[in-house]
Amino acid sequence: MALTKHAVAEPRHGVAMHGELALPSNFKHFDTVNPDAPKGGELALGEHGGFDSINPFTVRGIAPHGIREWVFESLLKRNPDEPFSLYASVAQSVETDSARNWVSFKLDSRAHFSDGAPITIDDVLFSLEILREKGRPNHRYYYKKVIRTERLGGDEIRFHFDPREADREMPLILGLMPILSKSWYASRDITAPSLEPPVGSGPYKIGTIDAGRSITYVRDPNYWAASLPVNRGLYNFDRLRIDFYRDENTAFEALKAGQFDFWEEKDAARWATGYDFAAVRDGKIVHEALPHGRPSGLLGMAFNTRRVFFQDIRVRRALSYLFDFEWINRNFFHGAYRRTTSLFDNSSLAAHGPASAAEQQLLAPFAGEIAPDVMTHGYAPPASDGSGGNRAGQRQALALLNKAGWEIREGRLLNIQSGAPLVFEILLVRPEEEKIALVLANAAKRLGIKISVRTVDSSQYEERLRTYDFDMMIYQWDASLSPGNEQKYYWGSDAAGQPGTRNYPGIKSPAIDAMIGYLLNAGNAAQFTTAARALDRALMSGNYVIPMYHQPEDRLARKSSLQRPQKTPLYGYDLMSWWKADRNQD
């Protein structure tokens, strides 16, 4: 039966993943901004690494931060103070049915690109088609779920999804699709790295480029959406400059010298001991810790199970006993970190404590994949006494390795059947992580395991990750309060064999696939929380990653002239809501 336009839905000013929108249709601005923030000045940022492309829609090359966020608009915009709610931007309204088998967007007639051309339905359809065919792997995966499009008028478009692959997140995924200019991109190869400034529709355009070293964004004086409620109090700087440094220590020295305005400190030891310098003492630089409500995500040492020696879970578990978090945290980080025990630590989605009856029901068909102790009390990583000896951990590791068919002969750990030694490499991109990897390597050496630690530049690192050309590496998987389709991209079986995804461990787990399916189809908040916790138990049971640590706050250093709103969003600080109090200090 044909759908009647308003039979089960009506156009609204936004859409929430679960429950109701927090803000009414007549809201004036987000609650986490200063709507009267002064405009002007330059925000200078320092980052580790470099870039060789400004095309954010391909896995080829490395694009700098900001291209996607500041140059391109989407149909809807996220409120950073809600778990997952989107509000009108390029689309002035959104409509979807109760089953979320389709979603409609009505375009704002004022919307236009930076070259002055209006944003039309043709541009929206072109964006869908080219990203579905040639975009990044996540784009191709998400947008192929659109099985039909329907024009409802000159400025309204409806996307229909395959009801056999129910996914309640898809209306929001489409709402976040970047809108590309058909007239500009139709004549260019979207798969190729490029340093040509694109035509966008966001608050900034590309200014100057010094490939690999620096990029400057400049405010678009004709930005069409500056007065929209979703943008009031945001994008307060006339220019955004990012300078790139070969390593974090060099960047930190540049911060101390006043060469840029803001720095997020990732090194707990440096946070504890490195901020007694002249600019801090004089009040020119302020350092502060801002609590946030986002989940920890998973920072860990990931096993590439495409390697034969890591396909046995007993080997992976054995190596986890050799990671001495307690010693590392005390000696390297002044006890500043918390051990990560869940993908969703620091939130209600974490699977702590015994599994609920609802979780048990979801996981029952996959009992063989789920560790019994993870069901009874949640994942608990091995712990040491912090002395540095970790003899108990070594004994546990060796017992597991023996059961897996390995034994020590003449000081080397050899496979009993093949005689091959256990030798592998830990791939890194941050020199600061070498000391962590070496702790594991030294502990493994006592059991006859040879681990080499190799740090490479960012370009080589990204390429090796893209092709899964590594044995083990340290990586951070981010998490949100509304996990969804990205979980397939992180952990799904289909992603394991597709280059360019973030399923770096190569996971192929029926239990994880099923829990992601439940997560995507949850009809209410209770079902969603149950599915997220069940997914957490399935993931942590597999020992695909040695979880490391996290901190439930953001540690920031900023010039005193850089000011921020009083309220920090649920997801943490948002630089685009900050401003320069003295705009002559650039």
Side-chain angles (χ1 to χ4, degrees):
M1 183 178 71
L3 290 168
T4 303
K5 184 174 181 181
H6 302 299
V8 290
E10 60 181 11
R12 300 195 65 194
H13 63 294
V15 59
M17 183 62 202
H18 296 103
E20 288 296 316
L21 294 165
L23 302 177
S25 59
N26 62 347
F27 81 98
K28 302 301 182 183
H29 55 80
F30 289 147
D31 296 335
T32 53
V33 304
N34 172 9
D36 301 316
K39 306 285 186 183
E42 178 179 271
L43 175 66
L45 304 173
E47 290 190 8
H48 163 230
F51 67 97
D52 55 13
S53 171
I54 59 171
N55 176 6
F57 305 117
T58 179
V59 295
R60 296 166 58 193
I62 300 175
H65 172 68
I67 297 286
R68 169 65 184 90
E69 299 89 343
W70 303 332
V71 175
F72 295 91
E73 288 281 21
S74 299
L75 293 162
L76 305 176
K77 185 166 184 174
R78 184 190 291 266
N79 179 5
D81 207 38
E82 294 181 61
F84 194 11
S85 292
L86 306 180
Y87 291 85
S89 183
V90 172
Q92 70 176 29
S93 66
V94 55
E95 180 181 4
T96 185
D97 66 324
S98 58
R100 297 195 172 178
N101 288 326
W102 55 264
V103 63
S104 299
F105 300 99
K106 182 178 177 62
L107 300 188
D108 191 319
S109 60
R110 300 167 293 178
H112 63 77
F113 292 105
S114 57
D115 62 358
I119 298 177
T120 68
I121 295 299
D122 285 340
D123 295 304
V124 175
L125 289 173
F126 172 80
S127 301
L128 173 74
E129 291 163 1
I130 196 169
L131 292 172
R132 179 167 56 187
E133 180 184 352
K134 299 181 178 181
R136 300 179 67 90
N138 57 319
H139 291 148
R140 295 199 299 269
Y141 173 79
Y142 297 151
Y143 303 151
K144 73 179 181 182
K145 295 189 177 186
V146 178
I147 60 172
R148 183 166 61 91
T149 60
E150 180 184 3
R151 291 177 182 263
L152 302 179
D155 58 0
E156 191 169 0
I157 181 71
R158 176 170 293 176
F159 300 95
H160 295 270
F161 312 121
D162 189 343
R164 296 169 299 179
E165 297 184 13
D167 183 345
R168 296 184 58 81
E169 191 180 21
M170 280 307 298
L172 289 87
I173 294 294
L174 265 292
L176 290 174
M177 181 176 68
I179 305 305
L180 311 181
S181 166
K182 180 178 180 179
S183 66
W184 197 84
Y185 275 98
S187 60
R188 290 166 172 83
D189 181 3
I190 199 173
T191 69
S194 172
L195 291 173
E196 180 183 11
V199 169
S201 59
Y204 293 94
K205 300 190 292 186
I206 304 298
T208 57
I209 299 173
D210 184 356
R213 297 169 59 90
S214 180
I215 184 170
T216 299
Y217 302 86
V218 296
R219 184 198 303 281
D220 183 353
N222 298 314
Y223 177 45
W224 69 273
S227 62
L228 291 182
V230 292
N231 291 325
R232 282 200 65 192
L234 296 175
Y235 312 121
N236 300 314
F237 306 101
D238 287 340
R239 297 176 306 281
L240 306 169
R241 190 188 83 237
I242 305 176
D243 295 328
F244 292 85
Y245 297 84
R246 66 178 181 272
D247 58 56
E248 289 191 1
N249 290 329
T250 304
F252 186 67
E253 292 302 315
L255 170 75
K256 292 164 65 175
Q259 295 182 22
F260 54 86
D261 300 314
F262 171 86
W263 176 256
E264 181 177 357
E265 185 56 77
K266 300 290 189 181
D267 189 318
R270 188 161 54 214
W271 181 257
T273 63
Y275 280 81
D276 184 19
F277 55 87
V280 173
R281 293 193 296 269
D282 295 343
K284 294 179 180 178
I285 289 181
V286 177
H287 66 301
E288 57 190 349
L290 300 181
H292 61 74
R294 64 182 182 269
S296 62
L298 183 56
L299 171 66
M301 308 182 82
F303 301 98
N304 186 353
T305 63
R306 301 170 185 84
R307 302 295 197 248
V308 174
F309 44 83
F310 285 149
Q311 290 175 1
D312 191 322
I313 192 173
R314 293 170 296 186
V315 174
R316 305 197 298 270
R317 284 178 177 165
L319 289 168
S320 72
Y321 276 96
L322 302 181
F323 181 76
D324 194 343
F325 165 75
E326 287 71 24
W327 187 88
I328 289 170
N329 194 34
R330 188 181 72 221
N331 287 274
F332 292 160
F333 304 126
H334 301 266
Y337 284 120
R338 296 183 187 177
R339 185 71 191 271
T340 300
T341 62
S342 163
L343 176 61
F344 304 116
D345 269 343
N346 198 45
S347 81
S348 61
L349 302 181
H352 294 153
S356 66
E359 291 174 61
Q360 294 178 39
Q361 183 177 0
L362 292 186
L363 290 167
F366 311 98
E369 283 195 58
I370 313 302
D373 58 332
V374 173
M375 291 297 290
T376 56
H377 55 70
Y379 175 76
S384 77
D385 60 8
S387 67
N390 195 21
R391 293 183 181 276
Q394 291 178 39
R395 287 195 297 269
Q396 292 277 8
L398 185 56
L400 282 168
L401 290 166
N402 289 159
K403 290 179 180 179
W406 298 81
E407 65 179 11
I408 299 177
R409 298 181 197 164
E410 300 180 353
R412 295 193 303 167
L413 188 74
L414 304 178
N415 186 277
I416 295 173
Q417 290 187 347
S418 68
L422 185 53
V423 177
F424 64 91
E425 176 186 85
I426 301 176
L427 180 70
L428 304 175
V429 70
R430 299 178 64 202
E432 296 79 7
E433 292 174 336
E434 289 178 359
K435 58 188 178 185
I436 308 298
L438 286 171
V439 170
L440 182 68
N442 290 333
K445 185 177 180 180
R446 299 170 192 166
L447 299 185
I449 303 169
K450 183 178 180 180
I451 302 177
S452 58
V453 177
R454 184 180 183 189
T455 302
V456 299
D457 62 51
S458 56
S459 296
Q460 185 178 354
Y461 181 77
E462 291 294 334
E463 178 60 21
R464 289 187 63 178
L465 260 60
R466 187 185 74 83
T467 58
Y468 311 120
D469 180 20
F470 64 91
D471 301 325
M472 191 181 207
M473 56 87 168
I474 295 178
Y475 191 77
Q476 168 79 50
W477 286 269
D478 294 328
S480 76
L481 291 165
S482 185
N485 269 287
E486 80 286 348
Q487 300 302 310
K488 286 191 174 183
Y489 190 62
Y490 291 171
W491 325 113
S493 296
D494 289 344
Q498 183 179 1
T501 76
R502 293 181 188 169
N503 186 348
Y504 297 121
I507 298 171
K508 294 183 178 181
S509 162
I512 289 176
D513 291 341
M515 296 311 110
I516 294 173
Y518 286 124
L519 188 75
L520 297 179
N521 296 311
N524 55 52
Q527 293 174 357
F528 177 77
T529 299
T530 295
R533 292 175 179 173
L535 169 62
D536 197 19
R537 294 185 198 274
L539 177 64
M540 303 308 287
S541 290
N543 290 96
Y544 302 105
V545 176
I546 300 176
M548 292 169 57
Y549 38 74
H550 68 278
Q551 56 191 32
E553 59 187 12
D554 293 318
R555 294 166 177 168
L556 313 176
R558 58 179 170 87
K559 286 186 178 178
S560 58
S561 60
L562 188 59
Q563 301 293 298
R564 61 177 176 82
Q566 291 185 346
K567 183 179 180 182
T568 300
L570 180 66
Y571 277 101
Y573 73 93
D574 179 5
L575 270 180
M576 291 302 98
S577 68
W578 294 22
W579 64 92
K580 279 284 183 73
D582 183 353
R583 286 159 285 159
N584 295 319
Q585 290 190 10
D586 298 328

